[in-house]
Amino acid sequence: MCGTLRASDAGKKAVLMGWVNRRRDLGNLIFIDLRDRTGVTQVVLNREVDAAAHDKADLLRNEYVVAVIGTVKRRDADTVNKNIPTGEVELVASEIRILNESKLPPFLPSDTALTNEETRLKYRYIDLRREVMQFNIETRHKVAKAIRDYLSVQGFFEIETPFMTRSTPEGARDYLVPSRVQPGTFYALPQSPQLFKQILMISGFDKYFQIVRCFRDEDLRADRQPEFTQIDLEMSYPQPERVWEVVEGFLTAAFQAAGSAIKTPFPRMDYDEAIRSYGIDKPDLRLPAFTEVRECFTAENLQELAINANLPVIAIRTPKVGELSRKERDDIKPMFHAKGGAKIFEDFKRIGNKFPEAAAAIAKKTGMEEGDLIVLVAGSAQAGPQTAMPTHRKVTPAELAIYASAGLLRLALAQKHAERHGIFKKSGDAAKDFRFLWVTNFPMFEWDEGEKQWMAAHHPFTSPHEEDMGLLEAGVESVNDPQSPLSAVRALAYDVVLNGTELGSGSIRIHRQDIQRKIFRALGMTEEEARSRFGFFLEALEYGTPPHGGIALGLDRIVMILAGAESLREVIPFPKTARAVDLMCDAPTPVNERQLRELGIVVKK
RNA sequence: GGGGACGUAGUUCAGUUGGUUAGAACGCUGCCCUGUCACGGCAGAGGCCGCGGGUUCGAGUCCCGUCGUCCCCGCCA
């Protein structure tokens, strides 16, 4: 292969096949850099040594596919190229065969400047020839293989579940597949194999996993594609800790395969604490946590600043951004998306001028250092509770609005000034570069302001906390009451988070039919509705279901972080654009009348 | 559904206050070159300034619309 020859191979005959990466034509001497996925080797053609081969090399152009037969020669000391692993040798060609010519590509894999993504995606096969993309796809393979191997050794079976399945209209939108045999009916592509893997537990396959494609018809983001790959697993009889142990095990193996030694066990944090300290349920631990600074102000201070004294006052510290220009300070405000009456104080100097004592206390409490940026977020006096309100929840909705607004701002500020603080740069120390975290004890239910009712925060098959069964019992009839005890029911659910990205989400499931029925009731679903949607599953639950639980992790996201990529598109060979289009094969497209007729489908204009 | 950024040669970009024939680098074509490795030198080709409309004596530049790509909010049980 083109990346494997070394000085010890000198004198051997070799045949290399690959693409012409670059040609350096010095007249009677031509150098060809020959490339395949393993690397690049220099081929040399000397007119005096072999005129026929030299003439052939004259015809070569970028991205031609050629076979070169020749002898490996150790290079003279002064012509060694230290920048490439094969730099100590070159192949002296005796014969060149052009296996295929190439049109001039819109961009070259050897280009140093990165072409715009639209062109890259249209000519993805050229783009994938680039060294970075080859590395990313190789990393993806290694990670998937390490996980398969690890789980197999642990006694898990990889079992396939259907792609053409039943639509369960809840949660994300389904991609639908019309049935020709039964016109007017549709399969759905799975958002996850959730019910199938639970049924596999009922079926006695007590350790299941699958590296499986999932589909969600929702709007895209840099870290969200409509089809994505999950490492899905489920086991019978586990405590949450057992699931975490398995995940930590296969992630260690996966990161090892990609060259990073991570530390386990991962730290754990309650959902409530994550919200209070980071304003988000997937904290990026590489950045400083919030500091609660309400106590740094006097009651009069708060009044003068029109801050609601019953809500948190949060200081966000962004390290080492240095002195901000007037414009940079003005740019902070538009980055702030206020929820529920949250307001921002982006000019900490002004706070310092007006309330020097409070500012000093804040600087001390946040551990502010020279060059650190401090921004405050608080509740506006006009909005939110005017008195401290009793609640079942540790974090009230009004507080959550403040925390969440501050949480988004914390990330936006860190992103904006990434160049300056350098926290996101890889240091080579896996313990610093990869900050894993388990977030646990999620709320079971979330209030849906639009529907005016409580909804499942994770999914309706998640088991409530044993200790909170009483609250569930008490709240089961008050699904439309925002103050319902349901708000305080915790779920046996957990997320694994890496550097602020949610890698995966799992839970201990409900294995008892009576509790499952209660949850559906708490979600405002009648017996009939539950039956019509999940009847097959509810029935299965009645035939000796073992306690079980599991998790699913996004393979794409793991590889993205390992590859240091900014977007999933860099680690998925054929990804889709923000409008869910495949630019290479131009999907989706309309289909012809005959196809539609066969399916009994009429498209409305 | 909403907000923002961008769109100029094959590619990456520049293009001043609206003013002559829209530039550079890389790539491409041809010629020269025996130690290059992002080779070098000389010459050359290459433009619907995304598209449509408007303002203006005059538009790559200003305005409106539209299409496309990217980022974010909503959404993602």
Side-chain angles (χ1 to χ4, degrees):
Chain A
M1 304 285 278
C2 296
T4 51
L5 292 175
R6 294 292 180 273
S8 56
D9 297 310
K12 288 185 191 159
K13 241 192 135 172
V15 181
L16 291 182
M17 280 169 275
W19 284 271
V20 173
N21 197 50
R22 274 214 164 82
R23 194 175 67 115
R24 290 178 294 280
D25 185 349
L26 279 65
N28 288 327
L29 191 65
I30 297 178
F31 297 99
I32 306 286
D33 287 344
L34 202 63
R35 182 197 76 237
D36 64 17
R37 71 181 162 99
T38 62
V40 167
T41 297
Q42 172 167 284
V43 175
V44 61
L45 296 112
N46 192 326
R47 186 163 185 87
E48 280 178 11
V49 175
D50 194 324
H54 179 275
D55 284 350
K56 205 68 167 282
D58 227 17
L59 303 173
L60 297 183
R61 294 294 180 270
N62 283 323
E63 298 308 302
Y64 276 30
V65 184
V66 297
V68 180
I69 302 160
T71 312
V72 182
K73 183 186 151 229
R74 191 172 186 140
R75 298 200 202 177
D76 295 339
D78 56 334
T79 63
V80 165
N81 183 353
K82 293 201 178 79
N83 299 320
I84 57 173
T86 62
E88 281 186 75
V89 296
E90 61 194 2
L91 187 66
V92 181
S94 55
E95 188 182 347
I96 288 185
R97 285 188 203 158
I98 297 176
L99 303 178
N100 212 341
E101 302 183 349
S102 168
K103 271 174 65 175
L104 177 67
F107 57 97
L108 292 172
S110 56
D111 278 349
T112 41
L114 193 57
T115 301
N116 86 66
E117 205 172 352
E118 208 173 335
T119 312
R120 287 177 55 206
L121 288 175
K122 179 160 185 209
Y123 299 93
R124 188 59 155 177
Y125 36 88
I126 308 287
D127 187 47
L128 288 170
R129 287 180 194 169
R130 292 166 48 234
E131 195 183 355
V132 195
M133 297 307 282
Q134 296 264 321
F135 172 81
N136 290 356
I137 300 301
E138 181 181 353
T139 301
R140 191 182 171 105
H141 160 75
K142 284 180 176 166
V143 166
K145 180 175 187 304
I147 293 169
R148 274 207 171 87
D149 291 348
Y150 180 87
L151 289 174
S152 300
V153 168
Q154 296 286 312
F156 285 77
F157 288 173
E158 182 162 22
I159 305 175
E160 290 152 286
T161 51
F163 275 10
M164 291 161 63
T165 177
R166 184 193 165 87
S167 178
T168 52
E170 198 174 357
R173 292 184 187 88
D174 286 324
Y175 277 101
L176 297 175
V177 180
S179 163
R180 177 187 57 83
V181 182
Q182 298 183 59
T185 64
F186 297 83
Y187 302 97
L189 302 180
Q191 297 174 27
S192 94
Q194 183 61 33
L195 293 181
F196 287 100
K197 68 172 172 176
Q198 291 192 235
I199 286 175
L200 284 170
M201 294 305 105
I202 302 174
S203 311
F205 296 102
D206 57 18
K207 286 178 188 159
Y208 143 94
F209 85 101
Q210 190 179 190
I211 297 185
V212 61
R213 197 66 55 83
C214 300
F215 307 85
R216 289 178 193 175
D217 187 5
E218 293 295 341
D219 288 354
L220 290 83
R221 289 281 191 285
D223 62 354
R224 259 165 39 191
Q225 283 274 313
E227 54 177 310
F228 57 101
T229 304
Q230 295 223 310
I231 302 145
D232 191 48
L233 73 86
E234 195 77 5
M235 50 207 298
S236 292
Y237 315 110
Q239 299 293 311
E241 289 77 5
R242 174 71 188 121
V243 177
W244 303 348
E245 201 183 340
V246 171
V247 170
E248 286 166 358
F250 77 63
L251 284 177
T252 301
F255 276 68
Q256 188 64 52
S260 290
I262 58 170
K263 284 227 168 60
T264 59
F266 304 155
R268 296 159 195 183
M269 185 183 293
D270 266 15
Y271 168 86
D272 286 332
E273 191 194 335
I275 296 297
R276 273 199 305 267
S277 303
Y278 301 93
I280 195 163
D281 60 0
K282 45 182 181 182
D284 189 338
L285 297 185
R286 295 174 300 177
L287 301 165
F290 293 158
T291 310
E292 165 59 67
V293 295
R294 182 166 33 181
E295 307 308 325
C296 300
F297 291 100
T298 64
E300 292 74 39
N301 291 164
L302 293 176
Q303 201 166 12
E304 202 175 331
L305 289 164
I307 290 175
N308 186 327
N310 294 307
L311 290 171
V313 179
I314 295 158
I316 301 168
R317 181 170 70 90
T318 313
K320 295 182 198 143
V321 301
E323 194 71 24
L324 289 190
S325 70
R326 172 68 198 272
K327 182 177 179 310
E328 284 170 324
R329 219 168 342 104
D330 289 345
D331 283 345
I332 294 177
K333 215 158 196 168
M335 293 161 72
F336 181 66
H337 298 280
K339 300 175 197 257
K343 58 193 252 181
I344 178 174
F345 299 90
E346 79 280 8
D347 195 343
F348 188 61
K349 263 194 191 144
R350 239 172 89 187
I351 300 271
N353 292 339
K354 268 181 129 172
F355 312 103
E357 279 168 34
I362 290 169
K364 184 158 181 253
K365 200 170 178 195
T366 55
M368 181 184 184
E369 286 176 24
E370 184 71 32
D372 288 1
L373 171 69
I374 299 282
V375 174
L376 303 185
V377 173
S380 124
Q382 298 83 21
Q386 300 305 309
T387 55
M389 278 175 56
T391 172
H392 293 283
R393 268 190 137 150
K394 285 189 196 152
V395 179
T396 66
E399 289 169 346
L400 179 63
I402 309 297
Y403 288 130
S405 306
L408 286 175
L409 181 63
R410 169 177 173 269
L411 293 176
L413 286 170
Q415 202 68 53
K416 174 116 183 172
H417 299 293
E419 289 288 317
R420 298 190 185 175
H421 59 66
I423 289 172
F424 297 147
K425 273 208 207 86
K426 292 265 170 79
S427 69
D429 176 358
K432 278 191 191 141
D433 293 343
F434 303 114
R435 298 290 300 274
F436 288 93
L437 174 70
W438 286 108
V439 179
T440 66
N441 290 319
F442 277 78
M444 183 81 192
F445 302 98
E446 260 167 15
W447 179 251
D448 184 323
E449 194 52 48
E451 301 283 323
K452 297 278 178 212
Q453 69 164 41
W454 291 93
M455 309 280 274
H458 188 54
H459 58 58
F461 315 107
T462 299
S463 176
H465 224 284
E466 200 63 43
E467 298 159 17
D468 298 340
M469 286 299 180
L471 289 165
L472 175 64
E473 203 70 49
V476 77
E477 300 301 340
S478 53
V479 62
N480 297 114
D481 174 9
Q483 295 303 317
S484 165
L486 288 180
S487 64
V489 177
R490 289 165 301 163
L492 284 176
Y494 33 81
D495 278 7
V496 56
V497 174
L498 169 55
N499 296 350
T501 296
E502 179 196 314
L503 282 191
S505 196
S507 63
I508 301 301
R509 327 294 184 188
I510 298 165
H511 65 281
R512 277 169 47 191
Q513 224 271 353
D514 56 330
I515 295 175
Q516 185 67 71
R517 205 177 286 142
K518 220 166 275 171
I519 295 292
F520 282 140
R521 266 233 332 272
L523 292 170
M525 227 185 280
T526 65
E527 190 87 3
E528 292 70 44
E529 281 171 331
R531 283 265 161 228
S532 78
R533 279 191 200 173
F534 307 111
F536 70 104
F537 179 68
L538 295 176
E539 193 174 0
L541 275 184
E542 295 182 286
Y543 290 93
T545 300
H548 61 284
I551 193 164
L553 278 75
L555 175 68
D556 315 280
R557 286 182 180 178
I558 294 174
V559 178
M560 174 175 91
I561 292 170
L562 266 172
E566 294 289 323
S567 143
L568 288 185
R569 295 183 300 274
E570 301 298 312
V571 299
I572 295 176
F574 304 105
K576 295 187 174 50
T577 68
R579 274 173 63 254
V581 167
D582 182 328
L583 289 176
M584 186 182 72
C585 65
D586 190 27
T589 59
V591 295
N592 68 42
E593 258 320 302
R594 195 176 59 85
Q595 281 176 294
L596 288 176
R597 213 177 317 120
E598 272 188 341
L599 294 166
I601 289 176
V602 179
V603 177
K604 266 176 127 174
K605 298 279 173 199

